[in-house]
Amino acid sequence: MDVGPESGGPEFPPFKRDQWAALAEKALRGASVEEALTSHTDDGIPVSAISERVVATPIATSHQSSRWTIVQRVDDPDVERARAQVRDDVEQGATGLALVFEGAPNAFGFGLPATPKALDTVLGDIPPGRVHLRIDAHPHSRTTAEMLVALLGRKRADMEKLSLSFGIDPAAIFAGTGGLRMSIEALQASMPQSLGHFFALGAPGILLEADGRVYHSAGATEAQELGVMIASAVLYLRMFSEARQPLVYAVPHIGFSLAVDQDQFLSMAKIRALRRLWTKVQESCGLEPTVAAVHAETSYRMMTARDPETNILRTTIAAFAAATGGADTISILPHTIAKGLPDGFARRIARNTQIVMADESHVGFVADPAAGSGAVEALTESLCGAAWKEFQAIEAEGGVLKSLTEGRIQKRVVQARQARAAAFGSDGRAIVGTTVFALKKERLAPTLSAKRRSVAVETAVTCEPLLPVRLDELVGAQP
């Protein structure tokens, strides 16, 4: 029944924030509302219990449909088994594949062999252009990119109809492996020529990618992750500028990859902040801003070895945040990845979680649903400010590569990681299924037969590597 003022019913007076605060303080027995009901992110950004609506300023994404690209990881060292996984994933609804090669910081000890034969085998059943293909950053990214272009050429693919991301990110490789195969000077001198080579081949899509997952997995805060990503993207722009190449040609071929975790609103704000930061960088360079291409992957550091089924809840929230935050492509880490190489069931859960969100829940139906939300807009703006300060600090240190060489970025990331670990013992933070509500007896979590291994790469310059560390490892709660 309609009892509003339009129907002659009672007209309720507006309820103001100070009235709510007075009632809240009464319930809190005089305690300050701001102190009692305000939390803080790892960057010290306050998150208030209540926020007022603001003017909606939707942030554009690069994908035009309501369905983002559902990406499945391809990281099995057994290439025949990987080929079967790829065929099953595509047949069952995946619209993108992430080729994760051995030695990649994001491979977590597994990964495809970086050989033409492995690539030919894994993609042998997939028609060119049917799915989005991305290569995760790894020490042999350029060689692998050439291998992929050669394979597509042999298949007579129409390059204009392909969706590709080659994942070349020297900064992430340097940070994640602790070394580069050539000196920084040689890298800076060769990058424009290498990209010119790919342009000549007619390879479309993202060539350079600023990958924040390496820093996130090692313990970085949201602002630190964003700051390093922007610094990496600026490094690529600077390489083009120093080579007297028009930046307008470089910008469309620069993409971003970041991690999303179980903090839904913070993850949404992180993606939105990244897009605004990239717009600001382009405007500062005198360019007409283009929309950032953003790949989101669920966080590795939030995954737990104990009671791995709880990881399904974490990755679902993270993927929801990525979709509503406006990511163009999304990949979910299978819930058993902390135990070993995920089997078919774990991979199916990861894939179907996205399919249900996209096709049954229609999560992507509204573009930037957080626009106008006081809480998310405030988080977005605060993250932009904190990330810009981190970016400026990195620039003052000589840029991302020099800062990594001197261990400055690593120092800040490790400090953030240590502070987060300490918080679990001081302010009531908990990991469900690990530090609280842990099972008395662990259930079996099947994984595929594969040994984790590291791949040695010849390096010309080294730094202290940033290695992935899960939260359950930090708090010493592994089974």
Side-chain angles (χ1 to χ4, degrees):
M1 183 176 68
D2 188 356
V3 295
E6 294 82 1
S7 62
E11 182 174 354
F12 298 101
F15 199 73
K16 298 182 179 180
R17 183 186 178 90
D18 57 350
Q19 294 175 288
W20 169 84
L23 291 174
E25 287 184 0
K26 183 178 180 180
L28 293 169
R29 298 181 180 180
S32 168
V33 171
E34 294 302 321
E35 292 182 5
L37 299 181
T38 299
S39 60
H40 293 81
T41 71
D42 290 334
D43 290 298
I45 297 172
V47 181
S48 179
I50 188 169
S51 300
E52 297 180 6
R53 184 183 300 174
V54 297
V55 177
T57 53
I59 297 176
T61 60
S62 59
H63 67 88
Q64 301 300 318
S65 68
S66 61
R67 199 179 197 264
W68 61 91
T69 301
I70 298 173
V71 177
Q72 281 286 88
R73 282 170 60 95
V74 186
D75 57 356
D76 194 333
D78 186 325
V79 293
E80 289 295 341
R81 199 163 56 189
R83 178 174 184 163
Q85 291 173 348
V86 165
R87 183 171 58 245
D88 182 61
D89 284 331
V90 174
E91 289 176 352
Q92 300 302 322
T95 53
L97 299 171
L99 304 174
V100 184
F101 291 92
E102 57 186 2
N106 202 42
F108 311 127
F110 302 114
L112 297 167
T115 64
K117 182 178 179 181
L119 194 62
D120 288 359
T121 301
V122 169
L123 298 180
D125 299 327
I126 307 301
R130 181 173 179 180
V131 297
H132 168 74
L133 292 175
R134 60 172 282 111
I135 298 174
D136 257 31
H138 69 107
H140 299 282
S141 292
R142 296 195 202 184
T143 303
T144 310
E146 290 182 344
M147 287 162 38
L148 179 57
V149 171
L151 173 62
L152 294 171
R154 291 194 298 272
K155 289 190 172 186
R156 297 184 178 181
D158 185 346
M159 288 293 187
E160 294 184 356
K161 295 182 179 180
L162 298 180
S163 177
L164 303 172
S165 179
F166 293 100
I168 299 174
D169 186 353
I173 294 305
F174 194 31
T177 65
L180 288 173
R181 298 171 62 198
M182 63 180 71
S183 69
I184 293 175
E185 294 74 19
L187 171 68
Q188 292 174 329
S190 67
M191 185 65 75
Q193 289 80 4
S194 297
L195 295 181
H197 170 64
F198 283 110
F199 292 157
L201 292 174
I206 303 302
L207 294 173
L208 294 166
E209 187 169 75
D211 194 340
R213 295 172 298 171
V214 171
Y215 312 96
H216 174 91
S217 295
T221 68
E222 288 74 24
Q224 288 173 342
E225 181 182 356
L226 290 171
V228 179
M229 292 169 68
I230 293 301
S232 299
V234 168
L235 167 68
Y236 306 144
L237 292 176
R238 187 172 288 121
M239 288 180 179
F240 269 82
S241 179
E242 292 174 352
R244 300 182 183 279
Q245 299 292 324
L247 297 185
V248 67
Y249 297 131
V251 167
H253 297 285
I254 297 176
F256 300 88
S257 183
L258 50 66
V260 285
D261 61 21
Q262 77 284 354
D263 193 325
Q264 174 188 326
F265 297 111
L266 192 55
S267 293
M268 292 170 64
K270 182 162 67 171
I271 297 174
R272 301 176 83 249
L274 172 60
R275 294 192 182 281
R276 289 187 179 175
L277 289 165
W278 183 229
T279 295
K280 181 175 181 178
V281 168
Q282 293 178 83
E283 290 174 344
S284 299
C285 294
L287 301 171
E288 183 69 26
T290 61
V291 179
V294 180
H295 174 68
E297 183 174 76
T298 58
S299 167
Y300 176 77
R301 79 182 187 200
M302 75 174 178
M303 306 296 273
T304 61
R306 189 183 293 275
D307 196 4
E309 284 78 8
T310 58
N311 291 327
I312 299 175
L313 300 177
R314 297 183 182 99
T315 56
T316 299
I317 295 172
F320 178 86
T324 52
D328 304 297
T329 60
I330 302 174
S331 178
I332 290 181
L333 295 181
H335 67 281
T336 57
I337 197 166
K339 291 283 193 179
L341 186 65
D343 66 354
F345 175 74
R347 293 177 60 85
R348 180 165 65 89
I349 292 294
R351 182 186 66 236
N352 286 354
T353 297
Q354 290 204 63
I355 293 174
V356 169
M357 283 194 293
D359 296 344
E360 296 185 24
S361 300
H362 303 287
V363 171
F365 184 75
V366 176
D368 193 14
S373 162
V376 179
E377 292 283 14
L379 270 176
T380 301
E381 288 301 315
S382 297
L383 273 178
C384 284
W388 196 257
K389 288 182 180 178
E390 177 68 19
F391 162 63
Q392 289 177 317
I394 295 171
E395 288 294 286
E397 293 161 357
V400 62
L401 294 179
K402 186 175 181 181
S403 182
L404 286 169
T405 302
E406 297 176 351
R408 297 175 182 270
I409 291 174
Q410 295 92 320
K411 182 179 179 180
R412 292 194 290 271
V413 170
V414 170
Q415 288 174 342
R417 183 175 71 204
Q418 292 172 341
R420 186 178 300 105
F424 281 91
S426 62
D427 70 356
R429 291 195 189 187
I431 303 175
V432 176
T434 300
T435 62
V436 295
F437 308 120
L439 295 176
K440 294 181 178 180
K441 184 178 180 181
E442 279 290 299
R443 294 188 295 270
L444 179 66
T447 56
L448 298 177
S449 175
K451 291 183 179 181
R452 296 184 191 268
R453 70 190 192 96
S454 59
V455 179
V457 178
E458 184 179 348
T459 58
V461 57
T462 61
C463 73
E464 185 67 28
L466 284 171
L467 303 178
V469 182
R470 301 193 315 273
L471 286 178
D472 63 343
E473 295 175 308
L474 288 177
V475 299
Q478 286 196 98

